[in-house]
Amino acid sequence: MGKIGSIYKEYLFDRHILVNDSDNAETDRAETLMALARLLNIRITDGADLVHRDMISFASGLLGEDVPEPFYRGFPQSVRDLTPGELFYDQLLNYYITYDLGDMSETRHSVLEGDIPRLAFREEGTVKDFSIVTAEKAMTMVSDIVNDLMCGSRPLNDKQFGLIAQYVRDTGFRPANVSSKNTAIRLLMDTRDLYFAGFIEMSDVIKLTEEMNFRLYNRTDIRKLNLKNQDRKFITGVINELIRQGRINTGDCYEKQKHWAGLLHHIHYKPVNDDAGRFAVLMRSGINHSAYTAFEREMNNMCIRNAVDILKEQKGSGAVLRNLNYIISRCGTEDNIRYVLDNIDSGNCLLLMQLYLQYLRYGNKKTSRSFSFAKFGMLKEYSENETDMKKRRSFLTSDKVDVLQDHVFSILRKNLAGRLGKVYIDPDMKRYALPIQESTAQSGFGVLPKGSRLRMDEFKKLRGFTYWEKVDDIDLTVIGIDEQGNQYEFSWRTMATSNSPAITYSGDETSGYNGGSEYYDIDVDIFRQEYPDVRYLVFCDNVYSSLTFDKCICRAGYMIRDREDSGEVFEPKTVSSSFAVNAKSRFCYLFAVDLMRNEFVWLNCARSSNLNVAGESRFFFLIDEMNVTDLMNMKWFFELTATEVCDNMEDADVIVTDKSIDVPAGKDLIREYDTEKILALMN
């Protein structure tokens, strides 16, 4: 078959699969297998006869190759040997030369650091089990992954969408269905193929315009359009194609009537037939006939049943679900509550799970709340103020929350039941979160859904890292959070006097276009003793320079190191995760440590923010995300989908585990990182 695209190979690598697409046979297989094991801790469990030496450089590049050394090359011991005054002088001199004098001509290192003897590397690290497949087999796997991703009803992250888009371009693939409007819109925008207009409605053209305005012009306000002529023609073509297909849902378009009027004016729209003419007149008329206008009118008149009927008939059960709190909060009788509940049967399991999780977390007091949501693949967070609390329309009593929780779960259980046959579920799957909201996530080796937890070994330390190119400076920061939400900042601003065996900061090597790196070492046992009030430690990346991550090259991840390590700062053999940070943002949450439970917690989401210093942002709202597996996890989900939960793998049709096992013939295996398989099961 020949060479296959790098995006396919990288995506499969994240699923512990290497691809042999070399034209030349490998003669030194034993040596190559040994090199993968010794250098990277990669053990080949299947397909060893397909191993090729190119895999060494490929895997090294993804786990960490040619990483810039940190400012302190003997980190961490050489940092601890310096006094606070020496640390401060070192950093101050570096910043003066690089930023004040603008000298980025050479790599900067400490001028006070002493020599550190290197030890022979003897850290064991965690073995990474991989299989090797042919190029033909790889493309079959990619095809299955693409089809599974197409089944997902929620927005995808950039790497997931990039895989689909590349596959469509390379193969001419035209799916029979695209469940997510967001995915269909991005494919339409990316390929300019009007075939994908068949998966959206006329009302979705506003979303298409918003996506183009953001992704092509880096603007978030659709009211301020200045599209190029080719893009105006494209949107006109989409509108005309939807008119030709009869996909004119005028009622829904009224919800964005002002945006429609502005868009039609901006593209100088000229109707192509009578249907188009009528649609244009209605959007320009200023008279709003949307379902939500009628819904609000009935709600204001306390006609709950009429309001529900309008939403269900014109927008579907999903719209009733999305407004459920507001509607139920206005219900004064049990009969009205029952009427509402009888009209919310929905097949959208992801939406049902989000609601169920909300009710599990719901407080029964009128206190300030924090909300997080995704927009353009980035997380936004908002906390209520006193004015918001007074205007709150959807306060629910604890009794109503209990009723909603039970009812939503009953629908969810009915919808999921029997999707799989007999299933063996590893007990440790309760540690992994469900991929309910992946659009804000970065992708890469070792990455798991937000909230997933991993045990941290005793007598080990966690080394968080980031490194970069094509930008002056990226800052890795650790924020401590106590049970009351108080924050403790460990950053370049605070660590000059705070380095210790508990937490050590490498300093940043600021080298301009040639790249730089930063590291933190956390010894969990010692940290708990020195900072007894801190419960969580959150690692995050900020672009200090005036760029966003997508305009530079940045990778982040973590290593699990021996408490007394070899002295090598970056050791690929100990890398547990390494992933690209490429959001259109200057701020990304990476991962966290739960000090009480001695567990590593995945966060991995981009935040919509221009902050270049993480300590100036709120972090307390992340605690809900870090504890999601206590309420909802993969074990819970697969128990709902199974017709029977088996105690032994031999009796099961499907095996769900995070362990490396030999899969018996005829049985399906689902791993904790098989996001697309899980998304397909949810829809």
Side-chain angles (χ1 to χ4, degrees):
M1 181 175 178
K3 298 290 183 181
I4 67 172
S6 60
I7 189 170
Y8 307 138
K9 294 169 70 174
E10 289 181 16
Y11 203 95
L12 291 173
F13 184 85
D14 298 345
R15 274 131 190 82
H16 295 233
I17 297 168
L18 287 163
V19 181
N20 184 335
D21 64 347
S22 175
D23 296 328
N24 302 314
E26 177 57 67
T27 56
D28 299 321
R29 291 177 183 170
E31 290 83 351
T32 304
L33 289 169
M34 186 175 294
L36 286 169
R38 295 185 63 180
L39 297 175
L40 304 171
N41 257 6
I42 289 178
R43 177 174 62 193
I44 304 303
T45 59
D46 189 34
D49 57 319
L50 293 171
V51 73
H52 194 277
R53 67 184 63 190
D54 291 347
M55 295 173 186
I56 300 172
S57 58
F58 174 75
S60 296
L62 295 177
L63 293 176
E65 182 183 46
D66 299 326
V67 179
E69 292 179 352
F71 185 72
Y72 292 98
R73 287 173 286 193
F75 171 78
Q77 190 57 50
S78 61
V79 178
R80 299 173 190 161
D81 289 343
L82 297 176
T83 67
E86 290 173 323
L87 285 168
F88 183 71
Y89 173 79
D90 241 350
Q91 291 292 311
L92 197 65
L93 177 62
N94 174 58
Y95 292 146
Y96 173 72
I97 293 172
T98 54
Y99 291 123
D100 292 350
L101 299 182
D103 183 2
M104 300 284 182
S105 60
E106 62 181 32
T107 297
R108 303 292 310 164
H109 288 296
S110 167
V111 297
L112 298 176
E113 180 183 29
D115 291 333
I116 294 293
R118 300 293 184 198
L119 305 175
F121 184 80
R122 55 179 178 269
E123 296 179 51
E124 291 185 3
T126 302
V127 175
K128 311 169 185 73
D129 286 338
F130 273 71
S131 60
I132 306 176
V133 299
T134 63
E136 290 82 2
K137 176 64 174 176
M139 290 308 296
T140 299
M141 290 179 165
V142 169
S143 176
D144 291 340
I145 290 171
V146 167
N147 279 292
D148 283 341
L149 290 174
M150 290 290 194
C151 292
S153 62
R154 302 296 295 167
L156 304 174
N157 65 39
D158 285 343
K159 188 164 185 177
Q160 290 168 335
F161 174 77
L163 180 81
I164 288 176
Q166 189 64 50
Y167 186 78
V168 168
R169 285 192 293 268
D170 289 347
T171 67
F173 175 57
R174 289 190 164 190
N177 184 46
V178 183
S179 297
S180 167
K181 291 287 185 72
N182 184 274
T183 300
I185 285 167
R186 291 187 66 182
L187 283 169
L188 182 58
M189 181 181 70
D190 189 82
T191 65
R192 303 296 169 107
D193 185 347
L194 293 180
Y195 172 80
F196 292 102
F199 302 108
I200 66 173
E201 305 290 340
M202 186 67 81
S203 58
D204 298 315
V205 171
I206 295 300
K207 174 65 174 173
L208 169 65
T209 306
E210 283 185 315
E211 287 286 337
M212 292 177 64
N213 201 36
F214 175 72
R215 297 189 184 277
L216 303 181
Y217 299 89
N218 204 30
R219 301 183 188 123
T220 57
D221 192 347
I222 193 177
R223 296 170 299 179
K224 299 177 181 179
L225 292 175
N226 188 20
L227 305 180
K228 294 179 181 178
N229 189 49
Q230 62 185 14
D231 294 326
R232 292 198 298 268
K233 288 182 177 179
F234 170 63
I235 292 174
T236 300
V238 172
I239 292 172
N240 290 338
E241 177 63 18
L242 292 171
I243 289 169
R244 186 188 69 78
Q245 295 185 23
R247 306 176 75 88
I248 314 174
N249 57 337
T250 306
D252 292 341
C253 292
Y254 277 123
E255 294 164 20
K256 300 285 186 179
Q257 190 180 36
K258 290 184 179 179
H259 293 336
W260 266 110
L263 176 61
L264 294 174
H265 174 76
H266 183 69
I267 65 177
H268 311 297
Y269 184 71
K270 295 179 181 179
V272 292
N273 57 28
D274 291 343
D275 289 341
R278 282 190 292 271
F279 175 76
V281 168
L282 291 172
M283 291 301 103
R284 290 165 171 159
S285 69
I287 303 172
N288 193 310
H289 296 288
S290 75
Y292 281 108
T293 299
F295 164 75
E296 283 291 354
R297 183 169 55 247
E298 298 298 333
M299 289 295 293
N300 290 334
N301 293 331
M302 296 304 293
C303 298
I304 304 299
R305 298 189 181 198
N306 290 347
V308 170
D309 290 343
I310 288 169
L311 273 192
K312 185 172 182 180
E313 290 169 9
Q314 298 187 39
K315 301 289 294 179
S317 291
V320 181
L321 276 171
R322 292 183 183 93
N323 291 275
L324 193 56
N325 292 357
Y326 173 36
I327 297 170
I328 294 293
S329 69
R330 296 298 191 273
C331 289
T333 67
E334 290 187 10
D335 286 345
N336 274 347
I337 292 175
R338 178 51 53 191
Y339 186 84
V340 175
L341 297 182
D342 287 343
N343 282 276
I344 62 170
D345 194 3
S346 172
N348 190 329
C349 291
L350 268 170
L351 180 55
L352 288 166
M353 279 190 280
Q354 288 175 322
L355 266 178
Y356 182 60
L357 182 59
Q358 179 190 132
Y359 296 136
L360 289 172
R361 291 170 169 168
Y362 203 95
N364 58 6
K365 295 181 180 179
K366 271 198 169 183
T367 55
S368 176
R369 298 176 298 177
S370 292
F371 303 92
S372 60
F373 56 94
K375 179 75 171 179
F376 300 126
M378 290 179 290
L379 184 76
K380 290 178 176 285
E381 184 265 339
Y382 181 76
S383 297
E384 287 181 323
N385 54 37
E386 290 185 6
T387 302
D388 296 327
M389 292 172 64
K390 291 177 182 178
K391 291 181 178 179
R392 187 188 297 177
R393 305 193 304 171
S394 57
F395 175 71
L396 298 174
T397 63
S398 58
D399 290 343
K400 287 181 177 179
V401 171
D402 290 342
V403 171
L404 290 172
Q405 180 180 312
D406 291 344
H407 190 77
V408 169
F409 180 69
S410 69
I411 300 173
L412 185 60
R413 181 170 53 192
K414 181 182 71 174
N415 288 344
L416 290 174
R419 295 198 172 192
L420 293 176
K422 297 180 178 180
V423 183
Y424 169 82
I425 309 168
D426 191 308
D428 278 344
M429 295 305 291
K430 66 185 179 183
R431 295 182 167 275
Y432 301 104
L434 291 163
I436 293 176
Q437 189 181 80
E438 290 296 287
S439 62
T440 64
Q442 320 295 307
S443 294
F445 179 76
V447 170
L448 294 168
K450 183 167 55 179
S452 296
R453 287 173 168 262
L454 301 171
R455 295 188 187 90
M456 292 185 62
D457 294 334
E458 295 182 6
F459 311 114
K460 297 278 188 176
K461 63 189 176 190
L462 182 145
R463 178 168 297 170
F465 64 83
T466 192
Y467 56 95
W468 63 87
E469 295 178 42
K470 299 185 179 181
V471 64
D472 291 346
D473 191 13
I474 289 176
D475 288 318
L476 182 65
T477 301
V478 179
I479 301 293
I481 311 172
D482 66 18
E483 298 282 6
Q484 288 71 47
N486 299 310
Q487 295 184 187
Y488 305 77
E489 181 179 342
F490 301 93
S491 72
W492 60 271
R493 305 194 297 186
T494 65
M495 291 299 291
T497 58
S498 301
N499 272 310
S500 73
I503 179 169
T504 311
Y505 168 58
S506 72
D508 66 329
E509 177 186 84
T510 305
S511 307
Y513 195 88
N514 294 323
S517 61
E518 288 193 13
Y519 301 79
Y520 278 87
D521 265 14
I522 307 290
D523 188 310
V524 173
D525 292 337
I526 300 175
F527 192 98
R528 279 195 294 257
Q529 297 170 21
E530 288 197 15
Y531 301 92
D533 293 334
V534 177
R535 168 72 189 273
Y536 303 99
L537 292 173
V538 178
F539 287 72
C540 49
D541 256 356
N542 289 78
V543 184
Y544 189 82
S545 310
S546 298
L547 288 175
T548 50
F549 283 108
D550 62 312
K551 297 294 190 297
C552 55
I553 296 172
C554 177
R555 292 191 73 86
Y558 71 100
M559 294 173 265
I560 300 297
R561 303 296 298 267
D562 288 346
R563 182 170 286 169
E564 297 299 328
D565 63 36
S566 64
E568 291 294 338
V569 182
F570 194 98
E571 178 50 61
K573 190 172 184 179
T574 64
V575 170
S576 295
S577 179
S578 177
F579 57 99
V581 183
N582 51 17
K584 279 181 168 292
S585 171
R586 297 174 67 182
F587 191 168
C588 284
Y589 303 107
L590 303 176
F591 33 76
V593 178
D594 184 337
L595 295 167
M596 180 181 292
R597 293 165 59 171
N598 201 39
E599 291 176 338
F600 176 93
V601 190
W602 270 107
L603 292 175
N604 182 30
C605 55
R607 176 163 184 162
S608 179
S609 171
N610 282 318
L611 287 178
N612 59 2
V613 178
E616 296 176 5
S617 179
R618 288 170 45 89
F619 280 71
F620 188 58
F621 77 97
L622 290 171
I623 292 178
D624 275 349
E625 304 298 338
M626 288 189 275
N627 291 309
V628 67
T629 54
D630 292 338
L631 305 174
M632 185 182 290
N633 53 60
M634 287 193 185
K635 182 175 183 292
W636 169 88
F637 173 74
F638 283 104
E639 286 173 344
L640 291 177
T641 62
T643 55
E644 179 185 339
V645 176
C646 301
D647 294 329
N648 300 308
M649 294 184 188
E650 294 78 11
D651 301 327
D653 302 315
V654 179
I655 298 169
V656 184
T657 183
D658 61 348
K659 309 297 190 299
S660 178
I661 63 169
D662 293 326
V663 184
K667 300 185 185 295
D668 292 329
L669 175 67
I670 299 178
R671 298 295 306 267
E672 70 278 10
Y673 46 73
D674 287 328
T675 303
E676 53 284 335
K677 290 183 181 179
I678 300 166
L679 286 172
L681 273 173
M682 288 179 178
N683 291 277

